[in-house]
Amino acid sequence: MTLPPTAGVFDYQLGGPSPTVRVGATTRAIDVVVRDATAAPLPGAYTVCYVNGFQTQPGEASLWRRHTDVLLHDEGGDLVVDPDWPDEYVLDPSTPAQRRTILSVLGPVVTGCAADGFDAVEIDNLDTWTRFDAIDEAGAHALARAYVDLAHSAGLAIAQKNAAEITRLAHDRLGFDFAVTEECAAWDECAAYTDVYGDHVLQIEYPDALDDAGLTFAQVCALTDRAPLTILRDRDLVPPGKPGHRYATC
C-alpha cells in the first residue's frame, strides 16, 4: 500500500478521463488523479478509484431495487434520495445484515479497482449518517471500517471523503490513510483534514461554492491550512475541450 504523492499535478476526473491538464499555456502530465471505478487507471500516475460507498450511482437504480432492504425509506415507506443528487438513493448500513448485502454488491467494485491497477480507492458519501437521521452512526462507521479492511487486504490505500467532523476518528479508529475533500476552503474546514492527514490531502474547490463563500481561488491558494495539492474544477468535472471545463491549480 502506497500513499499518494504530495507534490506534482493533480486532477479530479469523474466526468471523463484525460491524460493531461492545461495549466496556463502549458500542457502538463498528471501525477495524481481520481477516476471513476468504470474508467481505467492513468498509466504513470497515482490513480485513485472513485466508489460511491454510501449512496447508489446514477443509472444503477434497477440493480439496487433488487436490494430494497438496504435502501433508506422515509416514514411513508418511499425511497429516500439525496436532495442534491436526486438520481442517487441513500444506502442504509444500520444493521449487520444490511452491511453484508451492501458489501456483496460494492465489495467486488473495491477489489476490482485493485485488479484493474488502481493505487487507492475513495469511498464517497461517508457522511450520510449526519444528513439522514434514520441511519445509525455506529452502523455507518462499521461499513466504513469494512471498506478500509477490504481495500487494505487488496493492497489499496483508502481515502476518507469529506465528513470533516469525524476526521480524527476516521483516521485513528476507522483506518483511512489519506483524505479527498471537496469545498473545504468554502466551508472553512481544511484544517480538519490537514491537521490529521498532513500533506496527504487531495483538495477540490468549485467556483460556485467559492462565490457563495466570498472567496477567490487565489485566496484559497494563500490559505495556510490548504492541501499542497489543491485544484479548482468545474462542478460537472467535464473533460478538457468540453463546454464548461475549468481547471486551475495552486
Side-chain angles (χ1 to χ4, degrees), residues 8 12 34 53 101 103 135 172 189 196 199 206 211 225 236:
Y12 201 59
V34 179
T101 298
L103 288 168
I135 295 177
D172 293 353
E189 59 186 19
V196 172
D199 289 346
Y206 299 108
D211 288 344
D225 61 356
D236 292 330

Side-chain angles (χ1 to χ4, degrees), residues 79-250:
L79 293 175
V80 175
V81 298
D82 186 329
D84 293 326
W85 300 97
D87 50 1
E88 295 187 15
Y89 294 128
V90 178
L91 300 178
D92 186 358
S94 297
T95 70
Q98 288 172 310
R99 294 193 292 275
R100 284 193 296 270
T101 298
I102 292 169
L103 288 168
S104 73
V105 176
L106 292 179
V109 179
V110 173
T111 56
C113 293
D116 289 343
F118 284 89
D119 300 287
V121 61
E122 167 200 333
I123 301 295
D124 200 10
N125 288 306
L126 174 63
D127 63 347
T128 52
W129 65 270
T130 70
R131 296 185 283 121
F132 303 95
D133 292 340
I135 295 177
D136 177 68
E137 178 181 353
H141 292 180
L143 179 60
R145 180 72 212 196
Y147 283 132
V148 168
D149 291 343
L150 188 62
H152 287 169
S153 67
L156 298 169
I158 183 167
Q160 174 188 346
K161 174 66 173 295
N162 295 330
E165 59 270 59
I166 63 161
T167 303
R168 177 59 65 186
L169 180 149
H171 176 268
D172 293 353
R173 292 177 51 191
L174 301 183
F176 286 98
D177 304 301
F178 67 103
V180 176
T181 176
E182 295 173 297
E183 303 179 358
C184 75
W187 290 98
D188 192 23
E189 59 186 19
C190 295
Y193 300 98
T194 55
D195 284 355
V196 172
Y197 293 102
D199 289 346
H200 289 290
V201 178
L202 306 177
Q203 179 176 340
I204 308 99
E205 301 290 338
Y206 299 108
D208 56 330
L210 293 183
D211 288 344
D212 290 344
L215 288 172
T216 66
F217 188 60
Q219 289 173 317
V220 171
C221 292
L223 295 174
T224 58
D225 61 356
R226 73 163 176 88
L229 295 182
T230 296
I231 59 172
L232 179 74
R233 282 303 322 263
D234 55 281
R235 175 68 65 178
D236 292 330
L237 301 169
V238 299
K242 300 292 185 181
H245 170 80
R246 288 189 67 179
Y247 178 90
T249 186
C250 292

